[in-house]
Amino acid sequence: MPPFEPLPAVPDNNALELRILDLWEREGTFEQLRERNRGGPKWSFIDGPITANNPMAAHHCWGRALKDVFQRYKAVRGFDQRYQNGFDCQGLWVEVGVERALGLNSKQEIEEYGLAEFAERCKERVAEYSEVITEQSKRLGMWMDWDNDYYTFSDTNIEYIWRFLKTVHERGWLYLGHRSTEWCPRCGTSLSQHELINSYEEITHPSLFVRFPLKDRPGESLVIWTTTPWTLPANVAAAVKPDAEYGLRDNGEWVAVARHPGEEFVRTVRGEELVGLEYEGPFDYLPAQAEVVHRVIPWDDVSLEEGTGIVHIAPGAGSEDFELSKVHGLPVLAPIDEAGRFYADYGEFEGRSTEEVEKPVIVELDRRGRIVEHGSIVHRYPVCWRCATPLVFRIADDWLISCDEVREQMLAANATVEWTPDFYSKRMDDWLRNMDDWNISRRRYFGLPLPFYPCECGKLNVIGSLPELRERATAGLDQLQELHRPWVDEVTIACESCSRDVRRVAEVGDAWLDAGIVPFATLGWQNDEWQEGGYATGASAGLSGADLPDHAYWEQWFPGDWVSEMREQIRLWFYSQSFMSVTLTGRSPYNSVLTYEKLLDETGREMHRSWGNSIDAAEALDNMGADVMRLLFCAQVPSQNIRFGYGPAREIKRRLLTLWNSVSFFVTYANIEGYRPSYADLEAGPQTEELRTLDRWLVARTQQLVEETTTAYESFWTPGVTRAFDAFVDDLSNWYIRRSRRRFYEYDDAAFRTLWYALVQALRVIAPVMPFLAEQLWGNLVVEPCEDAPQSVFLASWPGTAQLENGLLEEVAAARRVVELGRQARSTSGLKHRQPLRRLVVQGTTLADAHMVEVAEELRVKAVEFGDIESTELLVKPNLPRLGPKLGKELGAVRAALQAGAFEELEGGRFRAAGHELDPDEVLVERRGLEGWAVAADHGVTVALETALDPELELEGRVLDLIHQLNSMRKDAGFAVTDRIRVTLPRSHAELVEEHGDWIAREVLAVGIEVGDVDEPQLAKA
Ligand SMILES: [Zn+2]
Ligand SMILES: [Zn+2]
């Protein structure tokens, strides 16, 4: 049996990954790893819960891949970790999902269906999708403690939020706000500031100019503009800008002069002169309007950018309007109910929605000659983030937490957090500086029951735990199966002040409370005794076996060392978690954060099912495989949107082939030559006198890779890992193997040892990113041939680094650059790649002797010399992506100077133009050589290739063509790489055989070459 299992020509990623999942399962690899690390240093990762409401989408995989990458990295480094996955289980997401599944479409329909039944459906949905998500996450390669997930609808989680709310109440931060709020009429609830950002759509609304006749000025009227005609029945005032100029048209209409420049007015006045005038409202005949006296009020914020400069004010249907009502003592008419339908005292509009009244409002105003102009407008308008219904403003009583006191503390806490990328720290600061009081109440059903029991004596009773509820209950305990509606609503308690029976408010809580409490609820913050299975209470009983740890455990694992979610979580989970933690402990709940942007399709558009461009997780996993997805995600700079799709995936697969082919090359020749590796070589690299310079270089290059990737992992920077890995594989394949092939054809121990070492170390450092392929190849290269090797790459420790031979690394990098430039020069000359040339001249760098030979061989030149290169022409252009940002407006002048040749060449590839010094990577340099020379230059290094041919060179060119042809024929004929052959050539090749017969024979493994009567070369096995 050969020591190494041969590799197929290309990897079948999917089959390979399923095999590895099976292997991990069989061997208990993850359990072994956890066992090994138990008692080691702790690394606390706290998982942000994924909503268990649907199968995973592709964007979920991005975050979950990153989480797994760093947990694996830390595990290999010996850190003890918790691996607790979390599911978000209650609130609008789940409710609306269940409503759709049941075909319900209003709160009334939910209530008719029955709250208990509805709650059961919500729980079933969570159970179903948490299982789907678990399976998909495992397929992605996530290693988590899957039997002990946390579910945010557990009674324990809810109790911990109650504890927080009680604290907030004791501090005096909790209040019932009476205010105008953005409201979803379909969901029947108000929404919070953090739910509105990014929830805007382009919507067409009417654009309506309406006349309000002035009472004491016959023939004169104010003209207002609105895009929400439904608010007009609730109009109580009109606002003008006091210091703006208003003009009277000859038809009696008042408008702001700034809105109609150039128009002739009968008379103009300052806005303040209009203040106090009374006007006829648009719907005075409605019962709701009976007592209203409509008048003009001053408002400095009236916009002169749109409309007429006169603003219609309806305090019950707009938030600024509501604020103005307090300042000016205006009546507040609230026209619509929770479902967005008009109340009874709105006449013919009663029972209709805001959309349904649009037309009748316009028709009625038109009938009375009040419409000045009627058109339509397309504008960005807020919609419900959950059901996409356009939002309206409504006056509501909401429970809010004041953020005045906590704001500065949260800013201070954020200053202690390390953000990656670091500028997101400022984004968090911006959010904290601008955050409003936290609206925590939602008028819904399956959510955190707010533990507020207001009493008519004025006392607000807030319950802080389940035992407290039990102790103070006066009825309903017997049926309390869990802390959800409808059961919890049945429990009444005794008022603390007057002992009356009091009921809970009907509202449930913002879902971000559920996720925000996680660092406390799951870690047993205020728990005296460890309770086995004690977290999995209430709705989560049976779904999870998670323990409720004790306070000592919390001390060990709080704050989290690291959290990672997408950027929008700044105003969501990062915020709610920090709000709760700073309130409870005065400190940030996490020490460092990795955040990332959005996932788009491969053309840069957002993914939408209806656009046909969305890829869900299941499809991506089936068609790309987990490794390719993980590599795609890890290669992405997280501060930019990722373009995700099959095109980029193919590119990753293509790049991976270089690694695959390198391993395959090694395995093929190691089997032929019977090479057996020694596991000890992985410690400090192969230690033998036989190492050549190139071997020492690859060892140093490998250690450099370990160093680069370690630094990148330590700073949570996956693009640094993949970039270093790609560059290393390129060096290994296109320099080391390419330059050393011959040594593998005839057993060279040092070469085998060096290449094995380099390949295995590379697998070890890429394994957290690409666990499946790395594990597979670890099996091939290490487990099978080395008896004493760990069975998994994850059970091997992290590779160490020795003293780097920096000089050698720099030398080879210089040699590779010269070769690269030589190839460029050759391609501009139009000469064939195989054609030998007389010499190469190099300027701007030096090469050690050993590397001069390598360069000459790579470029097929007889000699490499150093000297000045005369070029007839030197063209320098700006490298725009680099220079643009650096120079800004100055770019034009520099570009013109370069184009005109008005520049000076400086040391080291730098240039001076238009007073600016330009670095080598800021310019694109093109040199034209003298006749007979091909020239290329980059970063201050210039090479010139002599292109003139003589008969000797031409003959050698023909020999190389022939060798290439014969080797292709060998392959096509299916000869093994070690087979010896006999060759018969046409007579036209006689000269080649005569001059270079030995050379040809050596290159094609021929034992004999003859010239005969054939038209084409013939091969036969020897
Ligand atoms: Zn909604
Ligand atoms: Zn009371």
Side-chain angles (χ1 to χ4, degrees):
M1 256 249 322
F4 300 93
E5 193 189 314
L7 270 55
V10 286
D12 176 349
N13 295 67
N14 254 3
L16 178 155
E17 290 176 5
L18 295 176
R19 212 164 52 235
I20 295 296
L21 283 174
D22 186 53
L23 175 83
W24 286 338
E25 176 99 37
R26 252 189 358 257
E27 302 272 326
T29 311
F30 177 47
E31 290 71 24
Q32 286 185 50
L33 179 62
R34 291 191 72 182
E35 195 48 50
R36 188 197 73 181
N37 291 341
R38 221 176 294 276
K42 290 183 167 47
W43 189 67
S44 178
F45 162 67
I46 295 177
D47 187 34
I50 182 170
T51 307
N53 181 45
N54 277 306
M56 282 181 358
H59 74 263
H60 292 116
C61 297
W62 188 0
R64 291 170 87 75
L66 291 175
K67 290 173 180 181
D68 189 63
V69 165
F70 290 103
Q71 288 189 109
R72 279 181 189 262
Y73 167 73
K74 291 289 180 179
V76 174
R77 305 227 62 171
F79 285 87
D80 194 0
Q81 296 172 66
R82 296 180 57 242
Y83 298 105
Q84 189 175 35
N85 170 76
F87 289 113
D88 212 5
C89 312
Q90 53 188 15
L92 268 189
W93 270 299
V94 177
E95 282 199 42
V96 175
V98 170
E99 274 185 80
R100 282 187 184 147
L102 293 174
L104 307 177
N105 203 27
S106 71
K107 288 168 71 170
Q108 199 189 335
E109 286 175 22
I110 295 175
E111 288 179 17
E112 283 163 10
Y113 182 79
L115 292 198
E117 283 299 303
F118 187 71
E120 294 302 338
R121 297 297 89 74
C122 289
K123 288 193 281 177
E124 285 162 16
R125 190 175 178 91
V126 168
E128 177 184 350
Y129 286 108
S130 58
E131 206 172 305
V132 171
I133 290 170
T134 299
E135 288 313 309
Q136 293 182 329
S137 304
K138 286 180 180 170
R139 179 64 190 82
L140 183 65
M142 266 190 117
W143 269 351
M144 291 300 245
D145 186 3
W146 293 115
D147 297 329
N148 294 307
D149 307 306
Y150 71 80
Y151 286 75
T152 59
F153 62 15
S154 99
D155 279 359
T156 309
N157 214 68
I158 290 168
E159 279 190 83
Y160 265 92
I161 300 166
W162 283 9
R163 230 166 277 192
F164 163 76
L165 293 173
K166 189 165 180 147
T167 305
V168 159
H169 178 49
E170 285 161 3
R171 299 235 179 120
W173 298 355
L174 183 70
Y175 68 96
L176 185 63
H178 177 72
R179 57 177 208 171
S180 179
T181 160
E182 255 112 345
W183 188 276
C184 174
R186 199 214 68 86
C187 294
T189 187
S190 56
L191 298 170
S192 191
Q193 180 193 16
H194 59 238
E195 292 170 306
L196 295 172
I197 294 170
N198 297 336
S199 284
Y200 282 77
E201 277 180 13
E202 300 267 314
I203 291 182
T204 305
H205 275 135
S207 167
L208 205 60
F209 290 84
V210 181
R211 199 174 283 126
F212 289 172
L214 290 170
K215 278 190 173 165
D216 299 327
R217 307 237 188 133
E220 292 182 22
S221 53
L222 309 169
V223 179
I224 64 91
W225 175 68
T226 184
T227 59
T228 51
W230 70 268
T231 60
L232 287 169
N235 171 271
V236 301
V240 295
K241 195 174 171 68
D243 57 358
E245 200 183 13
Y246 288 82
L248 180 67
R249 290 170 166 160
D250 54 12
N251 64 3
E253 292 171 357
W254 284 98
V255 292
V257 171
R259 297 296 304 145
H260 301 273
E263 194 175 323
E264 295 271 323
F265 290 99
V266 179
R267 179 156 77 87
T268 63
V269 299
R270 281 164 63 86
E272 61 198 359
E273 291 179 48
L274 299 173
V275 169
L277 292 176
E278 293 182 7
Y279 63 89
E280 290 174 31
F283 288 94
D284 285 349
Y285 64 89
L286 295 176
Q289 287 276 359
E291 309 289 320
V292 179
V293 177
H294 299 88
R295 59 187 166 94
V296 179
I297 57 166
W299 186 25
D300 288 330
D301 291 343
V302 167
S303 165
L304 296 176
E305 302 293 315
E306 58 179 20
T308 63
I310 306 177
V311 177
H312 127 73
I313 303 294
S319 103
E320 290 164 318
D321 310 48
F322 183 72
E323 294 307 315
L324 285 170
S325 78
K326 291 195 235 168
V327 178
H328 297 286
L330 304 174
V332 177
L333 305 189
I336 53 171
D337 66 13
E338 287 197 352
R341 297 189 174 272
F342 277 75
Y343 286 119
D345 48 355
Y346 286 81
E348 73 262 35
F349 307 128
E350 179 189 350
R352 300 197 198 176
S353 73
T354 57
E355 265 170 43
E356 286 163 358
V357 304
E358 247 170 37
K359 215 172 188 177
V361 161
I362 295 168
V363 167
E364 170 58 24
L365 290 172
D366 196 35
R367 194 183 63 75
R368 283 185 275 129
R370 295 286 191 91
I371 304 278
V372 176
E373 200 184 314
H374 173 203
S376 63
I377 184 174
V378 180
H379 56 173
R380 283 174 61 70
Y381 191 84
V383 298
C384 174
W385 60 273
R386 185 55 273 188
C387 72
T389 303
L391 301 180
V392 295
F393 275 99
R394 234 191 128 239
I395 305 296
D397 289 339
D398 282 316
W399 292 97
L400 293 114
I401 302 176
S402 163
C403 60
D404 289 346
E405 277 181 44
V406 83
R407 190 193 310 276
E408 285 305 318
Q409 290 180 58
M410 285 178 78
L411 283 162
N414 190 45
T416 68
V417 178
E418 274 199 45
W419 287 77
T420 307
D422 58 4
F423 66 87
Y424 286 111
S425 171
K426 211 190 142 291
R427 295 276 183 88
M428 182 75 178
D429 280 349
D430 289 345
W431 167 256
L432 295 176
R433 282 200 190 93
N434 294 311
M435 68 177 170
D436 290 343
D437 289 352
W438 186 357
N439 178 349
I440 55 165
S441 57
R442 302 289 179 274
R443 288 153 201 264
R444 295 293 304 185
Y445 306 102
F446 191 68
L448 159 83
L450 293 177
F452 305 155
Y453 296 77
C455 177
E456 58 190 78
C457 77
K459 169 82 184 173
L460 173 61
N461 298 274
V462 176
I463 296 293
S465 70
L466 183 52
E468 189 184 343
L469 181 70
R470 288 220 173 91
E471 197 183 299
R472 292 178 57 184
T474 52
L477 274 187
D478 48 334
Q479 55 80 56
L480 184 63
Q481 66 170 60
E482 63 191 69
L483 296 180
H484 278 117
R485 301 185 71 186
W487 307 285
V488 70
D489 295 346
E490 297 302 313
V491 181
T492 52
I493 65 162
C495 172
E496 206 178 1
S497 298
C498 70
S499 303
R500 276 196 196 93
D501 266 11
V502 281
R503 291 199 158 273
R504 196 184 76 80
V505 299
E507 283 89 342
V508 296
D510 179 2
W512 296 104
L513 289 163
D514 302 333
I517 202 67
V518 161
F520 296 90
T522 61
L523 301 177
W525 173 49
Q526 282 198 334
N527 198 41
D528 298 335
E529 247 177 68
W530 189 293
Q531 292 165 34
E532 253 178 62
Y535 176 86
T537 47
S540 75
L543 291 175
S544 166
D547 291 351
L548 179 60
D550 56 15
H551 186 79
Y553 183 86
W554 179 84
E555 291 276 357
Q556 288 173 357
W557 294 98
F558 180 94
D561 288 306
W562 186 68
V563 292
S564 177
E565 303 292 335
M566 68 192 297
R567 188 251 299 159
E568 67 173 4
Q569 298 295 339
I570 284 176
R571 63 186 165 85
L572 300 171
W573 190 54
F574 297 143
Y575 149 77
S576 71
Q577 216 193 147
S578 175
F579 195 115
M580 295 172 99
S581 178
V582 168
T583 299
L584 296 174
T585 67
R587 56 189 299 193
S588 170
Y590 39 78
N591 294 331
S592 61
V593 183
L594 169 63
T595 189
Y596 47 91
E597 288 293 324
K598 279 202 283 196
L599 182 138
L600 306 174
D601 78 6
E602 62 185 69
T603 66
R605 290 196 313 161
E606 293 206 10
M607 281 191 185
H608 286 289
R609 219 167 281 274
S610 57
W611 296 353
N613 66 342
S614 88
I615 300 177
D616 63 23
E619 185 193 332
L621 286 164
D622 281 351
N623 292 317
M624 299 177 188
D627 274 340
V628 169
M629 288 172 73
R630 295 170 67 115
L631 273 164
L632 253 174
F633 294 135
C634 287
Q636 177 66 28
V637 170
S639 55
Q640 290 160 11
N641 295 332
I642 190 169
R643 296 186 170 203
F644 183 83
Y646 295 113
R650 272 192 297 277
E651 174 59 23
I652 295 273
K653 280 192 177 172
R654 195 188 59 73
R655 287 218 301 266
L656 271 183
L657 269 186
T658 310
L659 170 72
W660 183 263
N661 290 338
S662 302
V663 176
S664 187
F665 171 84
F666 171 85
V667 164
T668 303
Y669 288 98
N671 281 339
I672 291 170
E673 302 293 335
Y675 169 74
R676 264 196 186 273
S678 150
Y679 192 72
D681 271 0
L682 295 181
E683 275 300 314
Q687 305 289 320
T688 160
E689 301 279 295
E690 306 296 313
L691 291 189
R692 301 192 192 172
T693 307
L694 199 58
D695 300 331
R696 285 197 293 113
W697 167 75
L698 186 61
V699 170
R701 186 69 185 80
T702 305
Q703 291 174 348
Q704 186 183 35
L705 170 73
V706 173
E707 227 175 58
E708 287 170 350
T709 51
T710 305
T711 306
Y713 281 117
E714 288 296 329
S715 47
F716 304 110
W717 193 247
T718 53
V721 177
T722 58
R723 257 203 307 271
F725 181 75
D726 286 344
F728 176 78
V729 171
D730 179 60
D731 271 346
L732 178 138
S733 166
N734 294 322
W735 192 251
Y736 183 79
I737 294 183
R738 190 185 154 75
R739 298 288 321 143
S740 316
R741 274 178 194 284
R742 205 169 290 281
R743 295 169 64 198
F744 292 90
Y745 300 159
E746 46 228 54
Y747 189 87
D748 180 331
D749 188 60
F752 276 108
R753 286 177 72 177
T754 303
L755 182 55
W756 182 80
Y757 166 79
L759 286 170
V760 173
Q761 301 298 72
L763 293 179
R764 292 168 78 182
V765 297
I766 202 64
V769 168
M770 189 181 73
F772 295 98
L773 188 56
E775 188 75 303
Q776 167 71 38
L777 295 178
W778 174 268
N780 280 42
L781 291 180
V782 183
V783 179
E784 286 172 44
C786 303
E787 267 173 21
D788 44 356
Q791 295 296 301
S792 164
V793 65
F794 297 100
L795 295 171
S797 58
W798 194 248
T801 55
Q803 199 63 34
L804 288 188
E805 286 194 73
N806 279 322
L808 192 50
L809 290 169
E810 278 160 24
E811 280 173 24
V812 174
R816 286 209 69 186
R817 174 169 292 169
V818 169
V819 168
E820 206 37 62
L821 286 173
R823 293 208 177 107
Q824 275 177 35
R826 185 186 279 268
S827 70
T828 63
S829 73
L831 285 165
K832 267 192 300 196
H833 177 64
R834 278 192 292 278
Q835 176 60 56
L837 296 173
R838 195 53 67 193
R839 65 187 163 135
L840 176 80
V841 183
V842 178
Q843 183 190 333
T845 187
T846 54
L847 293 170
D849 286 352
H851 301 307
M852 283 170 63
V853 176
E854 287 160 0
V855 169
E857 279 181 24
E858 284 292 314
L859 293 175
R860 288 200 200 289
V861 293
K862 302 279 177 194
V864 176
E865 297 167 6
F866 296 91
D868 287 340
I869 294 168
E870 259 186 87
S871 41
T872 51
E873 215 175 345
L874 172 59
L875 300 174
V876 183
K877 290 183 201 154
N879 183 6
L880 293 175
R882 277 258 136 110
L883 264 191
K886 173 176 160 183
L887 293 179
K889 272 187 278 181
E890 292 286 288
L891 180 65
V894 170
R895 188 209 290 257
L898 291 175
Q899 198 164 18
F903 58 80
E904 188 185 338
E905 194 171 0
L906 308 172
E907 286 282 296
R910 286 158 47 252
F911 291 87
R912 186 183 293 124
H916 291 274
E917 286 202 4
L918 312 175
D919 286 336
D921 55 356
E922 293 170 345
V923 287
L924 305 170
V925 180
E926 196 182 312
R927 287 178 199 270
R928 303 247 165 92
L930 294 169
E931 185 69 36
W933 292 85
V935 177
D938 181 38
H939 280 73
V941 179
T942 308
V943 305
L945 208 51
E946 189 175 2
T947 54
L949 297 180
D950 54 38
E952 188 192 344
L953 291 173
E954 278 171 357
L955 189 67
E956 287 180 17
R958 285 177 61 203
V959 169
L960 287 164
D961 281 344
L962 177 64
I963 290 170
H964 179 74
Q965 184 189 6
L966 294 176
N967 276 332
S968 300
M969 290 172 69
R970 278 186 63 111
K971 217 179 242 173
D972 294 345
F975 289 117
V977 291
T978 49
D979 286 343
R980 299 298 193 265
I981 54 170
R982 289 184 185 284
V983 181
T984 312
L985 295 175
R987 295 203 183 279
S988 57
H989 288 52
E991 189 189 0
L992 304 187
V993 179
E994 219 163 278
E995 296 277 329
H996 296 294
D998 290 348
W999 178 16
I1000 298 168
R1002 204 165 56 234
E1003 293 292 334
V1004 305
L1005 294 187
V1007 293
I1009 302 181
E1010 296 172 3
V1011 175
D1013 288 325
V1014 291
D1015 293 336
E1016 291 292 326
Q1018 311 265 320
L1019 309 188
K1021 200 162 166 180

